[in-house]
């Protein structure tokens, strides 16, 4: 069925009907699943596995696996987003890729569970990143697909919490078992179960018509000119810098607790800090997301969240003790909760067009993934040769403050 001239197809129309709590919960749970599948391994399992496979060179192996996986993510998210935008399944544009992403991610995690060599670790982690990004690209696009602008701060807050809850669930699953193999299996089971509620109640609208595929035009669409869309460009840059700061601050948390703070049971330490951090994110993400909706302002919240996150980095740099780590987790969680909820709402308001929502959000997601490629290359030499963890955390603080300042360059959003 071809829509009449001048009529916006239902799948591309700007949403006006507020979404219900059940739908939001299903979207959040699917997000929790994919982030648990990523952050459980990153926070604990891959670190343990790297130490088991290469005890004398654990930092290099860990950085290699996470860096290559992040490189896959950089390409996969916008690519699957663009494919999702063009999907004409009778179940909608997003549902097929949520399901495929979950199944493929499970396969990658099961490969990791049986990996005792660096090559197999790379294969398994790349599959988890590839298919996890297919899932994430599709599920993220459901927010601008279905949620009105006036509700995006609070829904964005819940979606933001899913990343933190994913870290908490993934870390808990990783720490609950004696070895990394069962931890990977537990993450795989949770990932698959997490998408079931969304698949059953997605409300995804079918795309009835799409433009003809012209390969050159399709590939050029991944470049969104910052000259033509300056607000999108500034939003991309600030998210990139925020994620560079966050990656520098969190990538080596396991080793920071083990080697700098001197905690023998570092995996339990990571779990405790993640739980504290998660509570703080939960508290600020929903409350400040709702406040941002009421005031129709976004940038001031993002700016101050960068300042608060920077304070956390300073605490970790100058006070490498267990009480210092706890205080750092509290402050970082408070700032990051505000950032995640409000910045996500801001991003959905600077997307160039409705037809390419998932692709454009995928381009934004490069700003989430690329720092994971760069962070190991930056962090490893700093930790080993250029001042250690104090320098690393002070650098993370500087980058997050810079990001908070640059968000003021976005003009179309208050």
């Amino acid at each position: 069925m071809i829509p009449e001239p001048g009529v916006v197809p239902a799948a591309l129309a700007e949403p006006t009907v507020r979404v219900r709590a059940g739908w939001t919960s299903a979207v959040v749970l699917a997000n929790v699943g994919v982030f648990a599948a990523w952050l459980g391994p990153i926070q604990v399992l891959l670190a343990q596995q790297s130490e088991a496979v290469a005890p004398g060179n654990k930092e290099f192996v860990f950085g290699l696996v996470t860096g290559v996986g992040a490189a896959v993510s950089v390409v996969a998210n916008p690519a699957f987003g663009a494919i999702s935008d063009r999907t004409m399944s009778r179940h909608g544009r997003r549902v097929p890729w949520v399901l495929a992403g979950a199944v493929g991610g499970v396969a990658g995690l099961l490969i990791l569970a049986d990996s005792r060599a660096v090559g197999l670790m790379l294969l398994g982690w790349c599959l988890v990143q590839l298919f996890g990004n297919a899932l994430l690209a599709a599920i993220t696009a459901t927010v601008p697909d279905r949620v009105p602008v006036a509700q995006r701060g609070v829904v964005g807050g819940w979606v933001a919490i899913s990343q933190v809850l994913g870290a908490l669930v993934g870390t808990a699953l990783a720490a609950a078992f004696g070895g990394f193999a069962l931890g990977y299996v537990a993450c795989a089971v949770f990932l698959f179960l997490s998408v079931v509620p969304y698949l059953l109640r997605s409300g995804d609208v079918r795309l009835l018509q799409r433009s003809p595929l012209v390969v050159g035009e399709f590939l050029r669409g991944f470049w969104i000119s910052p000259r033509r869309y300056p607000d999108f460009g500034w939003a991309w840059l600030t998210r990139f810098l925020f994620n560079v700061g966050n990656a520098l601050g969190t990538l080596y948390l396991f080793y920071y607790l083990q080697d700098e703070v001197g905690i023998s049971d570092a995996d339990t330490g990571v779990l405790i800090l993640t739980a504290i951090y998660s509570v703080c994110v939960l508290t600020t993400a929903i409350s400040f997301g709702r406040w941002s909706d009421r005031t129709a302002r976004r940038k001031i919240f993002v700016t101050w969240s960068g300042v608060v996150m920077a304070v956390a980095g300073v605490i970790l740099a100058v006070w490498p003790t267990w009480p210092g780590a706890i205080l750092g987790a509290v402050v970082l969680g408070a700032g990051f909760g505000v950032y995640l909820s409000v910045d996500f709402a801001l991003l959905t308001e600077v997307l160039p067009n409705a037809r390419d929502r998932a692709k454009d959000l995928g381009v934004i997601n490069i700003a989430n993934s690329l720092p994971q490629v760069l962070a190991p290359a930056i962090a490893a030499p700093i930790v080993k040769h250029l001042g250690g963890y104090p320098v690393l955390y002070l650098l993370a603080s500087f980058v997050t403050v810079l990001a908070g300042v640059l968000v003021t360059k976005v003009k179309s959003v208050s």
Side-chain angles (χ1 to χ4, degrees), residues 307-333:
V307 174
V308 173
M309 291 168 64
V311 171
V314 172
I315 292 170
L316 294 174
V318 303
W319 195 18
T321 63
W322 180 240
I326 292 174
L327 180 59
V330 170
V331 176
L332 183 63

Side-chain angles (χ1 to χ4, degrees), residues 105-264:
V106 166
L109 288 166
L110 294 181
I111 290 173
L112 281 166
D114 197 38
S115 296
R116 299 296 185 275
V118 175
L120 281 176
M121 287 177 65
L122 280 167
L123 173 62
W125 188 239
C126 286
L127 287 175
V128 174
Q129 288 286 358
L130 180 71
F131 286 100
N133 274 283
L135 193 167
L136 185 65
I139 203 70
T140 301
T142 63
V143 176
D145 281 350
R146 295 286 309 277
V147 182
V149 169
Q151 199 182 4
R152 285 183 193 170
V154 67
V155 174
W158 284 109
V159 172
I161 286 171
S162 67
Q163 179 173 340
V164 179
L165 290 178
L168 179 60
V169 171
T171 304
L173 291 173
F177 299 94
F180 57 80
L182 288 177
Y184 283 124
V185 173
C187 288
V189 172
F190 182 77
L191 172 61
F192 186 79
L193 294 177
S194 72
V195 304
V196 173
Y198 176 76
L199 296 176
L200 295 177
R201 61 180 310 161
S202 71
D204 201 359
V205 180
R206 182 179 181 183
L207 181 66
L208 299 177
Q209 183 189 27
R210 64 187 174 203
S211 58
L213 176 62
V214 179
V215 175
E217 182 179 322
F218 177 77
L219 295 176
R220 284 193 297 272
F222 290 102
W223 169 249
I224 301 173
S225 170
R227 186 181 299 273
R228 185 177 178 186
Y229 301 104
D231 283 351
F232 185 90
W234 284 115
W236 190 97
L237 179 60
T238 56
R239 173 151 284 222
F240 171 76
L241 291 173
F242 265 112
N243 280 283
V244 168
N246 187 60
L248 290 174
T250 61
L251 183 64
Y252 286 145
L253 179 60
F254 182 90
Y255 297 141
Y256 171 77
L257 293 177
Q258 185 180 73
D259 301 334
E260 187 79 359
V261 178
I263 294 177
S264 57

Side-chain angles (χ1 to χ4, degrees), residues 342-407:
V342 180
D343 189 64
F344 181 76
L346 183 152
L347 289 170
T348 65
E349 295 178 42
V350 298
L351 299 178
N353 64 78
R355 184 174 295 277
D356 298 321
R357 285 172 181 147
K359 184 265 292 179
D360 294 341
L361 284 170
V363 173
I364 286 285
N365 197 60
I366 294 175
N368 300 333
S369 305
L370 189 57
Q372 303 300 323
V373 180
L374 299 177
I378 298 171
I382 289 175
V383 169
K384 283 207 161 189
H385 308 295
L386 300 175
Y389 289 102
V391 173
L392 181 68
Y393 286 121
L394 290 175
L395 176 61
S397 296
F398 170 76
V399 172
T400 54
V401 168
L402 178 61
V405 171
L406 290 179
V407 79

Side-chain angles (χ1 to χ4, degrees), residues 296-313:
R297 301 184 70 190
R298 311 294 191 196
K299 292 187 293 186
I300 188 67
F301 294 96
V302 177
T303 296
W304 280 102
S305 70
V307 174
V308 173
M309 291 168 64
V311 171

